[in-house]
Amino acid sequence: MLVVSISGSPSPRSRSGVVLQHAAQWLNDRGVEVSGVRIQDFNAEDLLYAKFDSPQVMAFIEAVAKADGLLIGTPVYKASFSGALKTLLDLLPERSLYGKVVLPIATGGSIAHMLAVDYALKPVLSALKCQEVLHGVFAIDSQISYGESPLGGDLDELLTQRLHEGLDHFLLGLQHRTQARHKDAGGHLKLAL
Ligand SMILES: Cc1cc2nc3c(=O)[nH]c(=O)nc-3n(C[C@H](O)[C@H](O)[C@H](O)COP(=O)(O)O)c2cc1C
């Protein structure tokens, strides 16, 4: 099973990035391969000028095409998800998320905009034909502390519990998808015989 983790924060030190890091470790421990992509690693001009033919953008599109599921992390910016993340999602072809499982993860300064994923990010994912967007995991800044390394840090107990619940559902979704794929492949094989 292959997962692409997208960090939508423009900040080099990112709280949503810390949550994503924990999620990736949790999935790795269960045998899921996670490939991480950070918005800040992209060439800003590729994103701002929507360069669909940029090699980096094309590699990203291919990685998404191969993935069974996506973790999408974002800070809340002005009551929505980050604009930088939108510039990247805008470059995905229309049916990119068809058949994939998505677990959104958002962090904000307070609970005031905890529904940002529901009213802002989910419509975008559904425009990309995602049919399985799971209930997102939302955290406020005080639940996440930074560690020594740029991506390291700790989550408080409540957030850890909520994240693990979200990941349990995510893993189940990934397993269903893999089983369905194998079933399809079996059916095609029988027909071919
Ligand atoms: C430009 C900007 C806008 C923000 N707007 C909001 C907001 O509308 N609501 C909110 O709860 N937090 C807001 N925040 C706080 C961030 O969402 C919060 O600190 C988040 O955890 C940052 O995530 P990151 O460290 O992964 O970038 C804003 C922060 C910045 C820098």
Side-chain angles (χ1 to χ4, degrees):
M1 284 177 289
L2 182 64
V3 165
V4 170
S5 159
I6 304 172
S7 171
S9 173
S11 307
R13 211 145 201 232
S14 155
R15 286 197 161 83
S16 54
V18 171
V19 185
L20 279 177
Q21 196 63 27
H22 277 259
Q25 187 59 57
W26 189 97
L27 289 165
N28 282 159
D29 292 345
R30 282 149 189 85
V32 180
E33 190 185 335
V34 182
S35 149
V37 170
R38 296 185 315 166
I39 195 83
Q40 60 202 269
D41 294 334
F42 283 84
N43 181 344
E45 286 207 355
D46 290 353
L47 301 180
L48 278 180
Y49 297 116
K51 291 193 180 159
F52 294 90
D53 57 349
S54 133
Q56 208 183 9
V57 168
M58 290 197 297
F60 169 67
I61 291 172
E62 203 182 319
V64 169
K66 285 186 185 149
D68 298 296
L70 277 81
L71 294 172
I72 302 183
T74 179
V76 176
Y77 274 6
K78 304 289 186 281
S80 183
F81 63 96
S82 80
L85 176 60
K86 181 70 163 60
T87 62
L88 181 62
L89 296 177
D90 285 349
L91 296 175
L92 285 172
E94 198 196 326
R95 295 179 64 80
S96 289
L97 300 187
Y98 181 78
K100 302 190 194 293
V101 195
V102 176
L103 179 63
I105 292 173
T107 63
S110 75
I111 58 162
H113 300 126
M114 68 181 295
L115 295 179
V117 161
D118 290 326
Y119 62 70
L121 182 59
K122 282 189 178 175
V124 177
L125 302 178
S126 97
L128 292 165
K129 302 292 179 278
C130 185
Q131 300 147 313
E132 201 175 352
V133 185
L134 301 178
H135 194 66
V137 177
F138 179 83
I140 52 171
D141 287 351
S142 57
Q143 293 185 283
I144 305 153
S145 54
Y146 287 127
E148 305 268 299
S149 69
L151 287 177
D154 291 313
L155 315 183
D156 78 5
E157 210 178 309
L158 189 64
L159 173 56
T160 304
Q161 188 189 329
R162 281 210 316 268
L163 180 65
H164 289 178
E165 279 167 15
L167 287 166
D168 277 333
H169 289 290
F170 186 59
L171 185 59
L172 214 62
L174 292 173
Q175 285 161 346
H176 284 159
R177 182 184 140 84
T178 314
Q179 280 160 8
R181 227 185 12 204
H182 285 161
K183 232 182 186 168
D184 276 0
H188 287 315
L189 201 66
K190 271 185 211 137
L191 280 176
L193 290 170

